[in-house]
Amino acid sequence: MTRAANIVIIGGGIIGCLTAWFLREAGHEGPITVVERDSSYKFASTALSAASIRLQFACPVNVELSLFGLSFLRAVRERLDADSNIGLVERGYLILAGDKTLERRREALAMQRALGAEVVELDRDALRARYEWLSLDGVTMATIGDNDEGWFDAWSLLQAARRAALRRGVTIIESEAVGLRTHGDRVTGVALADGRRIAADWCVNAAGALSGRVSEFLDIPIPVVPRKRTVFHFKAPLDARSMPMLIDLTGAWLRPEGEGFIGGIQPDEAADPNAHDDFEPDHALFEERLWPVLAERVPALEQVRLLNTWAGHYEMNLFDQNGIIGPHPKIANFVFATGFSGHGLQHAPGAARAVAEQIVSGAYRTIDVTPLAFERIAEGRPMVESAIY
Ligand SMILES: Cc1cc2nc3c(=O)[nH]c(=O)nc-3n(C[C@H](O)[C@H](O)[C@H](O)COP(=O)(O)OP(=O)(O)OC[C@H]3O[C@@H](n4cnc5c(N)ncnc54)[C@H](O)[C@@H]3O)c2cc1C
């Protein structure tokens, strides 16, 4: 790639802004333009996220991406912006397991530890001793990465990434990309809703839950769709301050937020259509699914006061619930960074760095994200990530 190449990134959420920043870090000196249709980020997944990070994944590449994500989050002030405060809390993801999932979980634990993740197994006695608020019905063991997992403020991270990109000479245009120009098997430009055309030597699809639409500009279908996820914020007569993130056997999740908690649960498949422009919280989910499960697992939650509810979209990869990173095999200057299915915030630093390495030097220099390449989709080889909540 010439140092002067024009790089256009569609989508200015966390993936787009960090990709722009990492391109500079990787030595790209030419123009970088981020096209973002709404800089208020009202509906962006980044702004609506539960913003948590864990090392406990089923696919090794995801563990590697989280390990890098964690080191990046710890150093945001030095790396991105001295004034940022992302409020990283490292208190672990306590993920419960029953008999049915025991073997799979122990295999995953061994893999995670081999990659350097300090995740430990807790038996029922240890759980009883550590978490007096937890009911152990149906629980055989649990795993937790005590200090290396937690949560943070996604909005502060996004703003820090955006400011850092702007400081490094990245241009952010507020407009919607509505088409792509091609010549032969290359993208040559991006058409904007306001009528402008931007020349592109590279185009990165970082459009999150809408990245399927962007791929359609090139008639490249990808299995990434917007799926609505509702977050409930509530108070309960339980001191949240020392608690970890909890993942129940049902997949319901709960974590401290301020003096209360936030929590959520995946809707049933039949009640989980592509969400398109629907951001209306699924209020019934709380009474019908989430609260009964949480109150059984954490009896103090039998009394809760709902404070707030919001919904955002997962950029759900229906093929295997994993990210898609890297160039399209035929249109090689069209690069994917999407499909993270609920774990894209923690994987944004690693994914963005990988895309920058690929564009600037034609290879992955640090984490080899080849397992997440588009080719697996074209060839029908799913690499399923089962740890999705
Ligand atoms: C409720 C919820 C909870 C979550 N919890 C977690 C969590 O705990 N941990 C975690 O790691 N991840 C979590 N996620 C997922 C995470 O938030 C996303 O994976 C991540 O934010 C994706 O970043 P992004 O930049 O790709 O997408 P976005 O933040 O959505 O950014 C994409 C941007 O592209 C813009 N755009 C789209 N199309 C166009 C176009 N044609 N032209 C111009 N601009 C366009 C959009 O306006 C948007 O701003 C959660 C998500 C939700 C909704």
Side-chain angles (χ1 to χ4, degrees):
M1 185 196 72
T2 71
R3 289 183 151 210
N6 266 314
I7 304 177
V8 181
I9 299 165
I10 302 178
I14 194 59
I15 301 270
C17 287
L18 282 181
T19 298
W21 185 82
F22 271 109
L23 279 162
R24 287 285 185 249
E25 287 284 288
H28 181 65
E29 292 167 0
I32 302 173
T33 305
V34 174
V35 180
E36 170 52 57
R37 63 180 196 150
D38 175 15
S39 292
S40 80
Y41 296 105
K42 189 171 174 202
F43 297 115
S45 304
T46 303
L48 298 167
S49 178
S52 308
I53 177 163
R54 61 187 150 104
L55 304 178
Q56 301 181 65
F57 281 93
C59 298
V61 67
N62 288 335
V63 179
E64 291 184 90
L65 287 169
S66 280
L67 281 165
F68 176 66
L70 180 70
S71 68
F72 189 86
L73 294 178
R74 282 175 176 158
V76 160
R77 282 205 175 119
E78 296 88 77
R79 302 198 76 166
L80 289 183
D81 188 77
D83 295 329
S84 62
N85 181 8
I86 65 161
L88 177 64
V89 174
E90 294 187 46
R91 243 188 264 151
Y93 261 69
L94 183 67
I95 309 187
L96 308 182
D99 283 343
K100 278 194 206 145
T101 51
L102 199 57
E103 202 177 321
R104 185 155 50 87
R105 288 288 301 283
R106 286 203 169 126
E107 274 168 26
L109 178 65
M111 175 275 289
Q112 291 153 9
R113 291 180 62 86
L115 288 171
E118 291 193 20
V119 181
V120 294
E121 176 177 335
L122 302 175
D123 63 15
R124 285 174 61 92
D125 287 342
L127 287 167
R128 213 172 279 119
R130 282 176 71 154
Y131 310 114
E132 76 287 351
W133 42 265
L134 185 70
S135 155
L136 295 181
D137 273 6
V139 174
T140 312
M141 61 83 148
T143 48
I144 185 165
D146 274 317
N147 300 313
D148 297 336
E149 301 178 314
W151 52 90
F152 53 97
D153 179 7
W155 181 254
S156 300
L157 179 68
L158 175 60
Q159 292 306 318
R162 201 179 144 103
R163 283 196 300 271
L166 287 169
R167 268 200 307 273
R168 304 283 295 263
V170 170
T171 304
I172 301 182
I173 293 181
E174 183 153 350
S175 188
E176 181 167 355
V178 291
L180 292 172
R181 283 198 177 164
T182 54
H183 183 75
D185 56 5
R186 297 192 70 74
V187 174
T188 56
V190 179
L192 304 184
D194 58 20
R196 280 182 282 178
R197 301 277 182 275
I198 318 173
D201 300 303
W202 290 89
C203 176
V204 179
N205 182 354
L210 296 177
S211 54
R213 277 195 209 165
V214 169
S215 286
E216 288 294 341
F217 298 156
L218 296 174
D219 288 326
I220 299 171
I222 56 170
V224 179
V225 294
R227 288 289 169 96
K228 189 167 76 175
R229 293 293 176 267
T230 303
V231 180
F232 300 94
H233 184 200
F234 49 88
K235 280 194 93 163
L238 176 66
D239 186 356
R241 282 172 300 184
S242 60
M243 286 173 64
M245 164 78 109
L246 174 68
I247 309 279
D248 182 53
L249 298 175
T250 56
W253 60 270
L254 170 81
R255 77 155 169 81
E257 174 70 21
E259 288 176 15
F261 299 88
I262 57 172
I265 190 166
Q266 295 210 26
D268 292 329
E269 182 61 34
D272 193 21
N274 294 346
H276 304 295
D277 295 329
D278 175 11
F279 287 88
E280 182 59 30
D282 183 351
H283 297 284
L285 204 56
F286 187 76
E287 292 275 339
E288 289 169 13
R289 300 265 325 277
L290 182 64
W291 189 25
V293 165
L294 291 183
E296 211 162 286
R297 185 57 66 206
V298 182
L301 299 187
E302 267 161 28
Q303 293 169 46
V304 292
R305 184 158 61 87
L306 212 45
L307 301 173
N308 187 19
T309 308
W310 73 88
H313 291 171
Y314 274 14
E315 70 282 27
M316 187 64 92
N317 177 355
L318 298 177
F319 184 64
D320 58 9
Q321 294 86 55
N322 251 321
I324 307 171
I325 305 178
H328 186 268
K330 294 211 175 76
I331 305 179
N333 68 341
F334 184 63
V335 184
F336 297 100
T338 184
F340 297 97
S341 309
H343 48 273
L345 197 57
Q346 61 201 288
H347 288 174
R353 184 179 65 172
V355 167
E357 289 172 350
Q358 185 61 235
I359 291 178
V360 171
S361 51
Y364 298 121
R365 302 264 170 217
T366 48
I367 301 174
D368 180 7
V369 296
T370 312
L372 297 173
F374 177 86
E375 278 82 342
R376 77 183 193 281
I377 295 167
E379 293 161 13
R381 286 183 287 106
M383 184 181 74
V384 175
E385 177 50 68
S386 53
I388 296 294
Y389 307 108

